[in-house]
């Protein structure tokens, strides 16, 4: 007797080698697919049978994925196009596309939906380019349930499915939008961890400085959805725009939703007790923002006696004086700050400016509390020239944070920069993989003064300069030991191949 047909298979695509080159073998993190896990929880609570295939973690190619799909025989396959962070969605598209193309070639009757950040940014183009039956223009939760209801009953009325783009002959049609899910605790209370290969996930190397042999097990979760800020280079709100519009929100206002501190505490406690989790990423685009929420989560962690090593995102203008000690007590040992640029004019143009001296004061305050810093910098913002990029590198060297990410400005679909680039016909990567910061095909944006190749060359040189700095390496040796210092030297020895260099 054959097993009963499942309703939904959520697929997390990805190819670490394509996206990160050799860095994907050992150095990059292997992140759990947070959005696929949340979708599984939401759909399960509506009474549907769900599975998740993490093709990225399992390192499955399109053929292997197609075999799993054939065996499980789901009513609906949903390819969830997200990455390690919201800006990483587009670089996952080549893998998502290959999986979709293979599925439809080998199993033409299989119903396939594509959804996620990149898809919601460019839904019509995605349906034009891909073999999927449908694509979703929003966050996708109500879309999934409506499709499943119709497929299970045998009475699917596609035009009535919310937030859907579909073909009608040669025309592409769009259905009415769906509101955002509001009651997160009740309707989407955490990630379906039991559907994921928990033994495969690993933390970033820097997250475990001092104990780089303890990168597993690892988990990542959201405590909020969305971000109230409007940085021109960010595309985090793309999957929420349709729902915001449906709810009548102003275009100038971003949605921002919360899980309760108690719910987050419960999930962390389960992860620690059931899976032995120690290393945790809070994936919120901006975690350290609302004191009541942040401090409530810290209190829950301390009250439950959880021993964890957490990193999270913050801004230098959101870390309150009386907050840092509580963050540290809760095991939040790393904070990632988007310093972005050393030149005030460059930051102002990107809507990411700070009061004079705030970068230095916040950095010092966090360090005095014993919290390490991941410093994020962007080269090639529209106002950048060689002098301002040198100022950004000088700021990085002066701050001398425990780790630094050096990015090139990219016009990610869904961001204001992408709209500007399209309007002004700026050169963009020829492939979606070219939006990966570490891929062979990387092509950054030009600035008003430099071409993209100049920006990329400066970025790669800046990386070498920072991680070979004697002052930096001595600081690492003193804080984390000689083994970590040697690990960094080995990391810096990997040279990225660049097609356009």
């Amino acid at each position: 007797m054959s097993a009963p047909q499942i309703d939904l298979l959520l697929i997390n695509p990805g190819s670490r080698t394509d996206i990160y080159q050799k860095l994907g073998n050992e150095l990059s993190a292997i992140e759990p697919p947070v959005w696929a896990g949340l979708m599984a929880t939401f759909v399960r609570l509506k009474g549907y049978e769900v599975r998740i295939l993490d093709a990225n973690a399992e390192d499955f190619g399109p053929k292997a994925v197609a075999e799993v799909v054939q065996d499980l025989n789901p009513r609906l396959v949903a390819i969830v196009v997200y990455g390690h962070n919201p800006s990483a969605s587009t670089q996952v598209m080549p893998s998502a596309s290959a999986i979709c193309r293979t599925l439809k070639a080998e199993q033409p009757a299989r119903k396939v939906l594509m959804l996620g950040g990149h898809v919601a940014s460019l839904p019509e183009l995605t349906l034009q380019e891909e073999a999927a039956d449908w694509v979703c223009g929003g966050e996708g939760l109500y879309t999934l349930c409506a499709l499943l209801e119709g497929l299970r009953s045998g009475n699917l009325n596609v035009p009535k499915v919310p937030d859907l783009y579909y073909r009608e002959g040669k025309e592409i049609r769009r259905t009415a939008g769906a509101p955002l899910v509001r009651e997160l605790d009740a309707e989407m209370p955490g990630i379906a961890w039991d559907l994921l290969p928990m033994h495969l996930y690993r933390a970033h190397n820097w997250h475990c400085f001092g104990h780089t042999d303890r990168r597993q097990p690892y988990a990542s979760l959201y405590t909020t959805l969305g971000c109230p800020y409007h940085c021109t280079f960010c595309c985090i709100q793309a999957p929420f725009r349709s729902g915001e519009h449906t709810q009548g929100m102003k275009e100038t206002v971003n949605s921002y939703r919360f899980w309760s501190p108690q719910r987050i505490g419960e999930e962390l406690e389960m992860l620690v007790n059931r899976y032995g989790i120690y290393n945790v990423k809070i994936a919120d685009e901006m975690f350290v923002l609302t004191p009541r929420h942040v401090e409530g989560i810290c209190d829950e962690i301390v009250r439950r006696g959880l021993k964890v090593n957490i990193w999270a995102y913050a801004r230098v203008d959101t870390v309150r004086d009386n907050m840092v000690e509580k963050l540290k007590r809760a095991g939040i040992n790393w904070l990632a700050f988007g310093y972005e640029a050393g030149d005030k004019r460059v930051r102002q143009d990107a809507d990411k400016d700070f009061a004079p001296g705030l970068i230095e004061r916040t950095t010092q305050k966090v360090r005095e509390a014993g919290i390490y810093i991941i410093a994020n910098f962007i080269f090639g913002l529209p106002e950048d020239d060689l002098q301002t990029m040198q100022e950004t590198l000088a700021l990085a060297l002066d701050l001398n944070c425990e780790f630094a990410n050096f990015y090139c400005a990219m016009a990610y679909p869904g961001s204001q920069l992408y709209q500007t680039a399209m309007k002004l016909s700026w050169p963009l990567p020829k492939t979606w993989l070219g939006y990966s910061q570490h891929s062979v095909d990387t092509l950054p944006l030009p600035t008003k003064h430099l071409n993209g190749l100049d920006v990329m060359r400066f970025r790669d040189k800046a990386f070498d300069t920072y991680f070979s700095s004697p002052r930096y390496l001595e600081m690492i040796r003193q804080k984390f030991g000689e083994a970590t210092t040697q690990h960094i030297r080995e990391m810096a020895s990997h040279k990225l191949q660049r097609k356009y260099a």
Side-chain angles (χ1 to χ4, degrees):
M1 181 180 294
S2 61
Q5 184 178 30
I6 68 168
D7 295 299
L8 174 66
L9 177 64
L10 295 155
I11 297 176
N12 179 49
S15 172
R16 297 194 301 277
T17 302
D18 288 342
I19 294 172
Y20 296 104
Q21 299 188 47
K22 291 181 180 179
L23 302 179
N25 295 331
E26 297 294 337
L27 290 170
S28 71
I30 302 177
E31 299 267 5
V34 175
W35 260 108
L38 290 171
M39 290 172 177
T41 295
F42 183 86
V43 171
R44 265 178 161 179
L45 288 176
K46 305 296 183 184
Y48 296 102
E49 185 72 18
V50 188
R51 296 287 187 277
I52 299 174
L53 173 57
D54 191 345
N56 180 58
E58 300 277 8
D59 205 18
F60 280 4
K63 287 284 188 180
V65 170
E67 291 175 6
V68 174
V69 173
Q70 185 68 47
D71 289 342
L72 291 175
N73 191 28
R75 289 188 171 90
L76 176 66
V77 171
I79 302 173
V80 185
V81 187
Y82 281 100
H84 286 194
N85 57 68
S87 296
S89 177
T90 294
Q91 67 194 32
V92 179
M93 273 304 295
S95 173
S97 178
I99 289 171
C100 183
R101 191 166 55 248
T102 300
L103 277 178
K104 294 302 289 184
E106 297 186 3
Q107 305 169 41
R110 186 74 59 197
K111 296 303 182 185
V112 178
L113 169 75
M114 297 183 80
L115 70 168
H118 174 93
V119 177
S121 301
L122 302 170
E124 190 165 343
L125 179 61
T126 301
L127 192 57
Q128 289 172 354
E129 292 183 341
E130 306 302 334
D133 297 279
W134 310 297
V135 305
C136 179
E139 68 181 353
L141 299 163
Y142 293 120
T143 307
L144 284 169
C145 290
L147 283 171
L148 291 172
E149 181 181 3
L151 290 169
R152 182 191 270 187
S153 68
N155 188 30
L156 177 62
N157 186 350
V158 171
K160 294 294 184 181
V161 176
D163 265 339
L164 199 70
Y165 286 73
Y166 66 98
R167 300 180 187 89
E168 193 173 87
K170 295 183 178 180
E171 299 295 321
I172 291 179
R173 306 290 187 194
R174 177 188 180 183
T175 66
L180 299 172
V181 173
R182 301 301 306 176
E183 300 298 328
L184 299 184
D185 277 12
E187 296 186 79
M188 201 161 55
I191 292 165
W193 299 105
D194 61 304
L195 300 181
L196 296 173
M198 296 296 289
H199 64 289
L200 294 179
Y201 302 117
R202 72 179 179 216
H204 295 271
N205 63 325
W206 49 260
H207 190 177
C208 301
F209 277 1
H211 48 90
T212 52
D213 57 336
R214 292 181 56 196
R215 293 171 63 191
Q216 293 175 304
Y218 170 65
S220 174
L221 72 159
Y222 284 124
T223 78
T224 62
L225 294 177
C227 179
Y229 293 98
H230 296 83
C231 303
T232 61
F233 48 81
C234 184
C235 58
I236 186 175
Q237 293 298 124
F240 310 137
R241 288 298 181 207
S242 174
E244 291 168 350
H245 177 75
T246 300
Q247 291 174 197
M249 293 180 61
K250 297 179 180 179
E251 291 187 6
T252 55
V253 177
N254 290 347
S255 58
Y256 193 48
R257 294 167 283 167
F258 300 80
W259 279 272
S260 69
Q262 181 179 359
R263 172 81 277 281
I264 299 303
E266 291 170 352
E267 187 157 14
L268 285 170
E269 187 170 21
M270 182 276 296
L271 287 167
V272 169
N273 292 336
R274 184 177 300 176
Y275 297 105
I277 297 297
Y278 175 63
N279 302 306
V280 178
K281 170 186 175 180
I282 294 179
D284 306 21
E285 183 70 7
M286 192 51 54
F287 172 64
V288 183
L289 179 60
T290 307
R292 176 190 241 170
H293 178 72
V294 175
E295 294 181 15
I297 290 172
C298 291
D299 290 341
E300 286 286 330
I301 293 171
V302 172
R303 182 177 69 81
R304 296 167 188 269
L306 303 180
K307 303 302 180 185
V308 283
N309 174 37
I310 297 176
W311 80 269
Y313 291 101
R315 282 173 54 116
V316 298
D317 55 359
T318 64
V319 180
R320 309 297 196 271
D321 288 338
N322 58 350
M323 186 185 287
V324 288
E325 289 80 10
K326 182 169 285 193
L327 289 167
K328 179 62 179 177
R329 283 198 304 272
I332 298 173
N333 296 320
W334 291 83
L335 287 177
F337 289 105
Y339 298 120
E340 317 310 5
D343 182 86
K344 183 178 180 65
R345 175 175 52 87
V346 173
R347 290 199 305 268
Q348 284 179 327
D349 185 69
D351 287 335
K352 191 70 181 285
D353 195 23
F354 307 113
L358 188 59
I359 288 176
E360 292 77 9
R361 290 196 302 274
T362 300
T363 300
Q364 181 179 357
K365 175 171 60 181
V366 168
R367 278 186 152 162
E368 288 175 351
I371 297 174
Y372 306 130
I373 294 174
I374 316 108
N376 293 322
F377 301 96
I378 301 177
F379 298 113
L381 290 166
E383 290 291 339
D384 257 329
D385 55 29
L386 285 175
Q387 179 179 340
T388 60
M389 292 197 302
Q390 189 61 49
E391 290 173 11
T392 299
L393 176 57
L395 174 63
L397 292 168
D398 182 57
L399 294 174
N400 199 38
C401 295
E402 287 78 6
F403 198 77
N405 289 312
F406 295 103
Y407 298 110
C408 297
M410 290 281 188
Y412 294 111
S415 70
Q416 183 180 326
L417 264 184
Y418 184 81
Q419 297 175 12
T420 302
M422 295 296 289
K423 180 180 179 181
L424 300 179
S425 299
W426 291 347
L428 294 172
K430 294 181 173 62
T431 67
W432 295 130
L433 187 60
Y435 285 84
S436 166
Q437 296 279 338
H438 302 92
S439 77
V440 174
D441 292 337
T442 296
L443 181 63
L445 278 176
T447 76
K448 295 178 180 178
H449 313 284
L450 302 167
N451 64 48
L453 299 185
D454 290 334
V455 173
M456 183 174 65
R457 293 187 189 104
F458 190 97
R459 178 268 164 204
D460 288 351
K461 183 178 179 181
F463 179 92
D464 291 340
T465 300
Y466 188 88
F467 286 104
S468 64
S469 163
R471 178 170 173 249
Y472 172 74
L473 291 172
E474 177 59 20
M475 179 267 292
I476 291 295
R477 188 188 66 78
Q478 291 184 17
K479 288 190 176 184
F480 302 108
E482 185 58 39
T484 299
T485 308
Q486 182 58 34
H487 172 84
I488 289 171
R489 289 194 179 99
E490 293 172 2
M491 176 195 74
S493 71
H494 291 271
K495 303 303 179 186
L496 295 171
Q497 298 179 31
R498 304 293 203 185
K499 179 184 294 185
Y500 304 108

